[in-house]
Structures are given as structure tokens and as C-alpha cells.
């Protein structure tokens, strides 16, 4: 093959596209925005690319592949000293580090989903790990939604407290059985009248159950003290309670009245024990059975 035939022969835009893996349309766009100077044209009016334009195209290709925007590539091309280029590269490194962190977080979520399943894997890592460590069964869809909302409104600590409380109930079959009985009793109120005696009976028994569970937790060292809440925290809790109350499955009038009476009794006992004013309402306990019975 005679090398002389290649000597001093510029490349066409199609040949440059083949060489650089850029499309002719992209190359023309780089010319239009002034990122790569237009080459000279041959006698037929076609662009004739020599080494200088080809190297510039390759340089732009590599810089954009590294993550630089076209504007940043332009700044780098117009830089007059190495310090300017170093500044651009430092910014690029920061952007790539942020992308890397987002990818790391996304992969961590995928890893939790694979390890814990599609339900508990959606919780924060601490709560998902606590569920697994406690040996609890995967929560139902209702419980999953409750925990996710609890994390959002009360924080991870509150969700962990609930996991500890559920694990504790698993170790106390008597309390767990009583909670399940109360949950069934609450369901029976769906067709009851508001003045049905079972409404007050449920409220009284639920309040007694709540007290018994809290006492047992305290004795076992799993009952956590109530935190000091800021106004923002209280607002979040109120919105969370509102969201829970806006669930698709609304309680019947009798069930709603039963829960109102239960909360009245619980708060009355709390105020009597702690000497607090009615304006300082306590945070009611999140019982596994209580959720099934409409409690928060």
C-alpha cells in the first residue's frame, strides 16, 4: 500500500465521525456553538478536517464523557493557565462525588430490599436491622405503612421503640393474647350503636391493657422515656396523626367513640400521675394490638 496517497489528505466529516465515534450531527453542533472551530473547506465546499480539528473533537469528546457540561468544556478550552483547568477539574470531582454518593445510597436501599424483603427493606437501615435481629415476622401491609409514617413523623427512635415493644410482646404471650382479644373486640364494634355498653367496656379494658403493657415494659427496661418535643416536632406528630386518621378504612361511629373514650381515660391517668395540665398532652403508646384496634 502506497503511503503517499494518504499524505496531506484531510478527512471528511463522515470519516472523522467514524474515527471519533461522534455523529456528524454532533460534530456540526460543536461547530455551531463555537466549541470546535470550523475546518477549511475543499473545492467542493465540504469540510476538510486536519489533525488540529480532529484532536479538538477528541478532546471535547473525552471531557464530556468525564461528566463536564459543554459550558464547562468551553471554559476549559478557553483557560489560559493550568490553575483554571485545575479549578474546573476540582468542581467536576465534587459533582462526580455527589453522584457517587447518590448511587451508594440507592444501592444501599436495593441491598436492604434484597436482604430484608420488599416490606421491611423500605424502613431505615436501623429499623430493618432491628426487625431482623428481633426475629419478628415481616409486618403486614397495614403495619408497614404505620411504621413508615411513624418514622417520618416521630423519627427513627420512635420506630425502633415500636420494634422493641413488639419484640417484647412476643416474649409475653399473655399480653399478646390480650391485645389480640381487644383487637377482635374492637372489630365487633363496627356494627354496634354508639351507646352500646361494649363501647365503654372496650375503652376501659384498652386503657387497662395500655397501662399493663407500659408497666411491664418499664419493669423489663424496654419502655423509653418521653422526649422533649419542639413545636416543629409536635406539628409533625399532629400531621402524622391526621394522615393516619385519613386512612381509607374509617372506623365506625362506635369504634371512633370507643377510641375517644380510651384516649380520654389514658390521658386522665397520665395527668393524675404526672400532675401536668391538660394542654400538655402525652404521646400515647404505639401498641401493636392497639394499631389493629384503631389506636395510635
Amino acid at each position: 500500500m502506497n503511503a503517499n496517497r494518504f499524505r496531506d489528505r484531510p478527512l471528511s466529516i463522515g470519516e472523522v465521525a467514524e474515527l471519533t465515534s461522534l455523529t456528524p450531527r454532533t460534530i456540526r453542533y460543536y461547530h455551531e456553538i463555537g466549541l470546535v472551530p470550523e475546518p477549511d473547506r475543499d473545492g467542493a465546499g465540504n469540510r476538510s478536517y486536519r489533525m488540529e480539528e480532529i484532536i479538538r473533537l477528541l478532546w471535547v469528546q473525552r471531557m464530556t464523557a468525564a461528566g463536564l457540561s459543554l459550558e464547562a468544556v468551553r471554559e476549559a478550552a478557553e483557560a489560559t493557565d493550568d490553575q483554571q483547568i485545575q479549578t474546573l477539574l476540582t468542581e467536576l470531582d465534587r459533582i462526580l462525588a455527589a453522584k457517587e454518593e447518590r448511587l451508594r445510597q440507592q444501592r444501599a436501599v436495593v441491598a436492604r430490599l434484597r436482604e430484608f424483603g420488599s416490606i421491611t427493606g423500605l424502613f431505615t437501615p436501623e429499623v430493618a436491622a432491628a426487625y431482623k435481629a428481633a426475629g419478628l415476622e415481616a409486618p403486614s401491609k397495614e403495619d408497614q405503612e404505620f411504621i413508615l409514617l411513624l418514622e417520618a413523623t416521630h423519627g427513627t427512635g420512635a420506630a425502633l421503640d415500636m420494634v422493641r415493644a413488639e419484640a417484647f410482646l412476643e416474649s409475653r404471650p399473655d399480653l399478646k393474647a390480650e391485645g389480640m382479644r381487644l383487637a377482635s373486640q374492637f372489630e365487633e364494634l363496627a356494627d354496634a350503636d354508639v351507646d352500646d355498653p361494649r363501647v365503654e367496656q372496650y375503652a376501659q379494658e384498652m386503657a387497662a391493657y395500655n397501662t399493663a403493657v407500659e408497666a411491664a415494659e418499664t419493669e423489663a427496661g424496654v419502655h423509653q422515656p418521653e422526649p422533649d418535643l419542639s413545636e416543629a416536632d409536635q406539628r409533625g406528630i399532629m400531621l402524622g396523626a391526621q394522615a393516619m386518621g385519613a386512612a381509607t378504612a374509617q372506623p365506625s361511629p362506635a369504634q371512633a367513640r370507643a377510641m375517644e373514650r380510651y384516649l380520654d381515660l389514658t390521658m386522665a391517668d397520665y395527668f393524675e400521675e404526672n400532675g401536668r395540665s391538660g394542654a400538655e398532652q402525652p404521646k400515647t403508646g404505639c401498641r401493636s394490638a392497639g394499631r389493629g384496634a384503631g389506636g395510635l
Side-chain angles (χ1 to χ4, degrees), residues 27-250:
I27 295 173
R28 293 190 189 99
Y29 178 68
Y30 288 166
H31 293 324
E32 289 174 10
I33 64 176
L35 195 57
V36 177
E38 281 268 8
D40 295 332
R41 294 179 180 265
D42 60 19
N46 298 317
R47 294 179 179 87
S48 298
Y49 291 85
R50 296 184 180 277
M51 183 66 113
E52 182 180 356
E53 293 87 23
I54 296 171
I55 292 299
R56 180 63 173 263
L57 283 167
L58 286 171
W59 183 79
V60 171
Q61 180 196 45
R62 301 298 166 83
M63 294 291 275
T64 54
L68 280 175
S69 65
L70 291 180
E71 187 57 36
V73 173
R74 185 194 305 279
E75 292 180 25
E78 295 173 354
T80 57
D81 57 51
D82 288 342
Q83 183 57 46
Q84 288 178 280
I85 295 178
Q86 285 297 320
T87 300
L88 286 169
L89 293 177
T90 298
E91 176 61 15
L92 173 60
D93 187 60
R94 185 193 66 78
I95 293 171
L96 293 176
K99 290 181 179 179
E100 187 177 49
E101 176 60 19
R102 286 195 295 272
L103 286 174
R104 187 196 65 78
Q105 293 174 356
Q106 291 170 350
R107 293 194 66 191
V109 172
V110 171
R112 290 203 304 275
L113 290 171
R114 294 179 64 184
E115 180 179 1
F116 301 114
S118 61
I119 297 180
T120 53
L122 293 176
F123 303 152
T124 58
E126 298 86 351
V127 175
Y131 246 100
K132 185 175 182 180
L136 297 171
E137 295 182 0
S140 65
K141 180 177 181 295
E142 178 190 20
D143 286 356
Q144 173 199 4
E145 294 170 348
F146 182 90
I147 295 171
L148 289 173
L149 190 55
L150 187 66
E151 285 185 334
T153 57
H154 291 59
T156 301
L160 288 172
D161 286 346
M162 197 187 91
V163 173
R164 284 190 284 266
E166 291 194 5
F168 174 73
L169 285 178
E170 288 294 325
S171 70
R172 291 291 301 269
D174 55 331
L175 292 175
K176 182 178 180 180
E178 176 64 4
M180 294 176 64
R181 185 188 71 80
L182 286 168
S184 297
Q185 187 175 331
F186 183 80
E187 293 300 323
E188 292 172 1
L189 295 177
D191 301 322
D193 294 330
V194 174
D195 297 328
D196 191 308
R198 290 178 297 169
V199 170
E200 182 64 22
Q201 178 185 356
Y202 168 83
Q204 295 281 350
E205 292 181 357
M206 188 65 190
Y209 172 75
N210 185 73
T211 300
V213 172
E214 287 190 349
E217 287 177 342
T218 301
E219 183 179 356
V222 298
H223 185 62
Q224 302 297 318
E226 299 292 343
D228 293 329
L229 301 176
S230 66
E231 290 186 8
D233 293 331
Q234 294 176 20
R235 173 66 174 167
I237 291 172
M238 287 176 57
L239 291 175
Q242 185 176 341
M244 293 172 189
T248 303
Q250 293 294 321

